[in-house]
């Protein structure tokens, strides 16, 4: 299904070729040409509109972080900001590190129950729901691929799934906002929102207009071709510029991978950033002759950079914090 690409500048492998007659990687059973094949020869999952349906309400709920759109409902949602479908895939506790009031080795275990956050109105919470559904799908497929690679089998059938990179990216924005407003120290009740600033215009623009800061977005962190170890750990840390206290995004350690998400790049260092792969088009895990992984779809024109990782000893454990 995928041909080996050649290494291009910045690391990574270019141009996975799509076999248009083969079954679509979304799992529909249809040939790709009748399913997710887009006009530019790529497989692509279309983004649903995240704008709430119907006329603008012209109401801004003071507790909703998307209030700047003046399109809130009058009731606030009590739902978990990381929805249950996702937690079923990644586990019931989320390890949070890198909070400014925590020591470097300290982590905060957040239970599902404590993730109840009153930070979105019901109208906005509902409209962002598809992001959680896609994230749950992604983590489920990733787990399936990795656990299959971890067992010994003679089957060489690749397991590849088409998922939406765009939706994963926006889901991480949702998580970033949730952590900013609702995760705090249990004893002193500190919140990132009390000690950092956030540019909510950038948040709204990314969700509703697909407009981003330069170089903002989702990054795979690590060396392409590096080893990976199957692990079911999930940890999250805020990305925050300590000098200006600007909140920039979130880092997630997921099943042995490091993903960085950035929505505010105003305080980031000069380009290039070695070891960062922006908007990877594939995350492929190899063990001997077997390859499993995800094909991530992005808007037309996104450079095609695949990330391949080899089963074996993982990279040295990096402390999950912002530097
Ligand atoms: Zn399809
Ligand atoms: Zn709202």
């Amino acid at each position: 299904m995928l041909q080996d690409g050649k290494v291009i500048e910045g690391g990574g492998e270019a141009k996975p070729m799509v076999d248009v007659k083969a079954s679509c990687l979304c799992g529909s059973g249809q040939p790709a040409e009748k399913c997710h094949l887009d006009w530019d020869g790529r497989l692509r999952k279309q983004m649903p509109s995240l704008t709430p349906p119907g006329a603008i309400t012209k109401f801004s709920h003071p507790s909703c972080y998307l209030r700047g759109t003046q399109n809130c409902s009058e009731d606030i949602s009590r739902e978990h900001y990381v929805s249950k479908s996702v937690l079923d895939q990644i586990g019931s506790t989320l390890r949070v590190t890198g909070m400014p009031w925590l020591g470097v080795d300290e982590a905060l275990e957040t239970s599902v129950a404590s993730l109840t956050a009153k930070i979105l109105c019901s109208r906005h919470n509902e409209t962002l729901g598809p992001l959680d559904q896609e994230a749950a799908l992604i983590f489920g497929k990733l787990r399936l691929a990795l656990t299959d690679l971890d067992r010994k089998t003679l089957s060489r059938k690749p397991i590849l799934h088409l998922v939406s990179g765009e939706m994963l990216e926006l889901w991480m924005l949702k998580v970033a906002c949730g952590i900013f407003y609702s995760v705090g120290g249990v004893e002193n009740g500190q919140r990132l929102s009390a000690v950092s600033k956030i540019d909510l215009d950038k948040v709204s623009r990314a969700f509703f207009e697909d407009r981003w800061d330069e170089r903002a977005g989702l990054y795979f962190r690590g060396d392409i071709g590096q080893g990976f170890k199957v692990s079911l750990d999930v940890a999250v840390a805020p990305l925050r510029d300590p000098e200006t206290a600007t909140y920039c995004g979130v880092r997630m350690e997921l099943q042995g991978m490091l993903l960085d998400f950035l929505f505010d790049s105003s305080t980031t260092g000069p380009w290039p950033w070695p070891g960062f792969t922006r908007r990877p088009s594939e995350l492929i895990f190899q063990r001997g002759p077997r390859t499993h992984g995800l094909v991530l779809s992005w808007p037309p024109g996104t450079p095609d950079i695949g990330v391949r990782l080899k089963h074996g000893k993982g990279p040295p454990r990096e402390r999950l914090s912002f530097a």
Side-chain angles (χ1 to χ4, degrees), residues 23-32 34-37 43-45 162:
S23 296
C24 188
L25 296 182
C26 71
S28 67
Q30 294 285 315
K34 291 195 174 145
C35 199
H36 282 94
L37 187 72
L43 295 178
R44 184 167 295 116
K45 282 188 132 178
L162 175 68

Side-chain angles (χ1 to χ4, degrees), residues 7-314:
V7 173
I8 58 166
E9 205 181 331
E13 295 167 6
K15 295 257 176 265
M17 300 302 290
V18 176
D19 180 350
V20 299
K21 305 278 183 207
S23 296
C24 188
L25 296 182
C26 71
S28 67
Q30 294 285 315
E33 61 186 353
K34 291 195 174 145
C35 199
H36 282 94
L37 187 72
D38 212 357
W39 58 270
D40 57 355
R42 307 247 161 263
L43 295 178
R44 184 167 295 116
K45 282 188 132 178
Q46 299 299 331
M47 265 292 294
S49 169
L50 298 180
T51 303
I56 288 181
T57 61
K58 294 185 181 147
F59 175 71
S60 299
H61 197 294
S63 304
C64 175
Y65 65 80
L66 296 173
R67 58 185 173 272
T69 59
Q70 303 192 329
N71 198 3
C72 290
S73 56
E74 298 198 2
D75 53 332
I76 204 83
S77 171
R78 285 162 192 274
E79 274 187 58
H80 304 148
Y81 71 80
V82 178
S83 75
K84 197 176 168 305
S85 57
V86 177
L87 288 161
D88 285 347
Q89 292 300 332
I90 64 179
S92 59
T93 57
L94 206 56
R95 203 158 50 87
V96 183
T97 63
M99 290 296 194
W101 55 87
L102 292 177
V104 279
D105 288 323
E106 278 185 289
L108 212 137
E109 293 268 321
T110 302
S111 74
V112 183
S114 74
L115 289 180
T116 309
K118 299 167 196 163
I119 55 176
L120 280 173
C121 69
S122 299
R123 186 166 163 81
H124 277 126
N125 189 61
E126 218 163 281
T127 199
L128 298 185
L131 300 178
D132 292 80
Q133 287 163 25
E134 187 71 10
L137 177 86
I138 290 171
F139 301 143
K141 298 298 184 192
L142 193 60
R143 172 182 285 219
L144 194 75
L146 290 176
T147 46
D148 188 75
L149 269 195
D150 221 19
R151 65 193 180 94
K152 290 199 168 71
T153 166
L154 291 175
S155 166
R156 293 188 173 195
K157 203 170 176 289
I159 302 178
L160 290 170
H161 286 282
L162 175 68
V163 298
S164 169
E166 277 177 276
M167 290 177 81
L168 176 62
E169 188 172 75
L170 288 174
W171 180 76
M172 283 185 78
L173 176 58
K174 197 180 171 200
V175 171
C177 292
I179 283 169
F180 185 77
Y181 286 109
S182 64
V183 175
V186 178
E187 281 157 36
N188 50 21
Q190 289 182 89
R191 299 276 185 275
L192 273 176
S193 51
V195 293
S196 326
K197 54 188 184 197
I198 187 169
D199 189 334
L200 285 179
D201 278 348
K202 290 182 179 179
V203 173
S204 292
R205 285 206 302 260
F207 273 130
F208 304 117
E209 297 167 41
D210 190 26
R211 288 202 291 137
W212 296 84
D213 268 13
E214 213 184 330
R215 303 195 300 267
L218 179 73
Y219 286 85
F220 168 83
R221 258 204 88 181
D223 293 324
I224 290 169
Q226 79 185 16
F228 74 93
K229 237 187 346 229
V230 174
S231 127
L232 297 178
D233 274 3
V234 183
V236 187
L239 297 178
R240 175 178 174 273
D241 177 42
E243 239 161 75
T244 59
T246 303
Y247 189 53
C248 319
V250 75
R251 171 166 299 167
M252 189 171 275
E253 187 184 350
L254 183 73
Q255 293 167 342
M257 277 189 304
L258 275 187
L259 297 174
D260 274 12
F261 167 76
L262 206 63
F263 68 91
D264 189 332
S265 65
S266 60
T267 59
T268 52
W271 188 257
W273 305 333
F276 284 76
T277 304
R278 186 165 184 250
R279 296 181 170 165
S281 51
E282 301 175 317
L283 291 171
I284 305 290
F285 303 89
Q286 286 181 300
R287 181 178 192 182
R290 290 189 293 152
T291 53
H292 292 349
L294 303 176
V295 172
L296 293 94
S297 74
W298 297 99
T302 307
D304 207 2
I305 304 179
V307 170
R308 275 171 194 256
L309 300 168
K310 289 188 168 51
H311 189 280
K313 243 177 77 182

